[in-house]
Amino acid sequence: MGEITGRQVFAVTSGAFAVIIAVNVVMAWQAVSTFSGVEVGNSYVASQEFEEKRDAQDALGWTLQPAYVAGQGLTLTFTDKAGLPVQLSNLSVLVGRPTNDNFDQRPDFQREAGVYRSAVTLEPGKWMLRVEAEAPDGTRFQQRLDLFVKG
């Protein structure tokens, strides 16, 4: 076996650092290209209205329970303080992965026996639901929920 020279050590060390830097650049590019990180357009304006909207929504007393069954789809059950189904309008649901907006979709929901159903198909893993609806009196209901689909 030959003698190790300074040039060989430099080449191996430089090569190792080049691989590490290349992997970091690829990972950073993937992170930035798959999720913008923007939740609201202007956080200052959103913060000024937050408490008022939260108090109005809390006064509704609604509870939202999501459920997903493979082959049957996604259901959303809205109930009031008494546990009865609520009547709502302008239901809008964004379904997507928490860290990647490439899978975002807005499924259509139909009301059946007080439960809102959609035939959406979700792959196994963690999903995020961003639900917006309106009460009969015009009060906005907004909630972000995590949903885990078993594989």
Side-chain angles (χ1 to χ4, degrees):
M1 191 155 186
E3 189 176 305
I4 297 175
T5 66
R7 287 186 180 189
Q8 291 171 326
V9 171
F10 177 75
V12 169
T13 304
S14 298
F17 276 106
V19 169
I20 292 169
I21 291 169
V23 169
N24 283 332
V25 168
V26 168
M27 296 299 280
W29 179 81
Q30 283 283 61
V32 171
S33 68
T34 59
F35 181 64
S36 65
V38 176
E39 290 287 330
V40 295
N42 186 328
S43 59
Y44 177 76
V45 172
S47 71
Q48 299 301 302
E49 302 169 344
F50 176 80
E51 286 188 30
E52 183 180 320
K53 289 179 179 180
R54 183 198 60 209
D55 293 343
Q57 180 170 317
D58 287 348
L60 291 173
W62 289 2
T63 302
L64 170 57
Q65 184 63 43
Y68 179 79
V69 177
Q72 296 179 13
L74 180 63
T75 60
L76 301 176
T77 305
F78 292 85
T79 54
D80 64 13
K81 293 175 188 175
L84 300 172
V86 299
Q87 183 68 35
L88 54 92
S89 60
N90 298 329
L91 177 63
S92 173
V93 180
L94 174 68
V95 179
R97 298 286 189 179
T99 59
N100 188 332
D101 58 7
N102 291 338
F103 299 100
D104 287 0
Q105 53 187 313
R106 292 196 176 271
D108 290 326
F109 284 84
Q110 303 301 321
R111 186 168 195 241
E112 298 174 9
V115 176
Y116 292 84
R117 299 182 188 280
S118 176
V120 67
T121 300
L122 302 176
E123 297 296 320
K126 189 172 185 178
W127 291 87
M128 173 222 34
L129 306 175
R130 186 166 290 155
V131 180
E132 296 180 11
E134 201 171 292
D137 67 359
T139 303
R140 299 283 302 156
F141 177 88
Q142 297 177 326
Q143 193 167 9
R144 182 191 180 281
L145 301 163
D146 289 326
L147 178 70
F148 187 79
V149 175
K150 294 180 182 179

